[in-house]
Amino acid sequence: MLLLGFLAITALAVIHLRDLFAVVMLFGIYSFLTASLFVTLDAVDVAFTEAVVGAGISTFLMLCTLALTARREKAKPARTLIPLLVVVITGATLVYGTLDMPDFSDPSAPVHTHVTPRYIEATEREIGMPNLVTAVLASYRGYDTLGELTVILTAGIGVLVLLGYRKRGEKR
Amino acid sequence: MPNPIQPNLVLRVAGKMLIPIILMFALYVQFHGETGPGGGFQAGVIFTSAFILYALVFGIGPARAVATDRVLRVLAAFGVLLYIGVGIASLLSGGNFLDYDVLGENAIEGQHLGIFLIELGVGFTVASVMIIIFFAFAERGARP
């Protein structure tokens, strides 16, 4: 609860600040808070990824982008009624959608009754690994992970094409 | 953008001490993902952070001497190919695509070998793509 409060405060600060350097730093803090939240939910693998990618690399990449562009956000004309309305309606719909969700850590929730028991029960026998997350990601869902890896490679190629292109023979 | 911070002795010494530890930690996360949290993805990113630290403290030039364009591109593609290769190897051994059971003496060994290899592929690709992105941004800024 405390962490969620901090998250909300950070998000509000991000909205209000115009200094993008501070905003990037706050995003890093936001990621770290999210990572701590994941740890309290016992999702250490996700927390690890969030801390490393969200707080580490993406903060740094945003700083790089800032170095290439400007540090301060341009002041925008204040026309906030329609966006506010859209956000409130969307948020209300989403909250309404969560009302139907099962209670937190309800053992009879659909997500806990479908394939999860099968994985928990069979991983030790079929794969022999203590870390369930790795077993699911790398073996049971190996095909998905291959897709993710291809996405990363594609992202790298995209950045190379957009930013890293240099003509044959051009000196860096 | 990231000019080498030449005169700063503290940064250079601290960087020299920290970078090997970060690299070791990345390898630990890479090869220990079966038993603890972590795996190829996180390890690749941690590996990249060591590189970025090095480039920030000592300049892009020396970092570029290790990670040339060619090496990075080959490694990025190699990771995905290693992953697909494991899949094809299991196909050839009589299993389904990415079914590691058939790779070893028994199912468990095959699973361990397969997961080890694909995590390695993930690590290679993630690390080299992240370094590619970093260099693309950094060199863009360094040019006038």
Side-chain angles (χ1 to χ4, degrees), chain A residues 149-161, chain B residues 129 132-133:
Chain A
L149 196 61
T150 320
V151 168
I152 292 172
L153 181 67
T154 319
I157 295 172
V159 168
L160 264 186
V161 169
Chain B
V129 165
I132 285 176
I133 295 179

Side-chain angles (χ1 to χ4, degrees), chain A residues 4-129:
Chain A
L4 282 177
F6 278 132
L7 272 184
I9 294 171
T10 321
L12 286 176
V14 165
I15 297 174
H16 275 284
L17 280 174
R18 285 284 170 267
D19 184 353
L20 292 176
F21 185 76
V23 169
V24 170
M25 287 298 131
L26 281 174
F27 267 127
I29 294 172
Y30 190 91
S31 284
F32 257 124
L33 286 172
T34 320
S36 326
L37 203 62
F38 287 140
V39 171
T40 59
L41 293 173
D42 279 344
V44 270
D45 279 87
V46 189
F48 199 177
T49 316
E50 178 66 38
V52 162
V53 178
I57 288 290
S58 52
T59 308
F60 182 77
L61 286 180
M62 283 196 267
L63 282 182
C64 284
T65 318
L66 275 191
L68 295 181
T69 55
R71 185 178 159 161
R72 291 195 68 82
E73 191 179 350
K74 279 203 187 106
K76 276 174 299 202
R79 201 185 306 133
T80 51
L81 192 61
I82 295 177
L84 184 70
L85 211 65
V86 171
V87 167
V88 166
I89 291 175
T90 318
T93 320
L94 288 176
V95 170
Y96 177 70
T98 61
L99 294 181
D100 266 352
M101 275 175 45
D103 289 338
F104 178 67
S105 73
D106 177 8
S108 62
V111 67
H112 294 140
T113 53
H114 184 47
V115 287
T116 314
R118 162 79 174 62
Y119 288 154
I120 294 175
E121 178 257 331
T123 296
E124 197 60 42
R125 173 164 44 80
E126 289 183 348
I127 303 192
M129 269 184 190

Side-chain angles (χ1 to χ4, degrees), chain A residues 44-46 48-50 52-53 56-57 60-61 63-65 67-68 123-135 137-150 152-157 159-160 162-166 170-172, chain B residues 1-2 25 29 32-39 41-42 45-46 48-49 52 56 64 68-69 73 76-77 79-80 83-84 97-98 100-101 107-108 111-112 115-116 118-119 121-123 125-126 129-130 132-134 136-143:
Chain A
V44 270
D45 279 87
V46 189
F48 199 177
T49 316
E50 178 66 38
V52 162
V53 178
I57 288 290
F60 182 77
L61 286 180
L63 282 182
C64 284
T65 318
L68 295 181
T123 296
E124 197 60 42
R125 173 164 44 80
E126 289 183 348
I127 303 192
M129 269 184 190
N131 188 353
L132 266 178
V133 180
T134 304
L137 279 183
S139 186
Y140 291 116
R141 290 278 174 266
Y143 204 74
D144 296 356
T145 311
L146 174 60
E148 286 164 22
L149 196 61
T150 320
I152 292 172
L153 181 67
T154 319
I157 295 172
V159 168
L160 264 186
L162 287 174
L163 289 178
Y165 178 75
R166 67 175 75 89
E170 183 190 333
K171 289 296 263 184
R172 64 171 90 91
Chain B
M1 176 212 77
F25 183 61
V29 171
H32 214 254
E34 303 172 0
T35 40
F41 194 86
Q42 292 93 331
V45 178
I46 295 173
T48 311
S49 68
I52 292 177
L56 284 179
R64 265 300 199 192
T68 57
D69 269 347
R73 286 174 198 181
V80 179
Y83 203 127
I84 298 173
F97 188 66
L98 290 175
Y100 315 131
D101 281 0
I108 300 264
Q111 289 285 349
H112 279 233
I115 290 177
F116 174 81
I118 64 135
E119 291 279 10
V122 173
T125 296
V126 170
V129 165
M130 295 291 168
I132 285 176
I133 295 179
F134 164 64
F137 274 91
E139 287 176 347
R140 179 94 176 174
R143 268 186 282 171

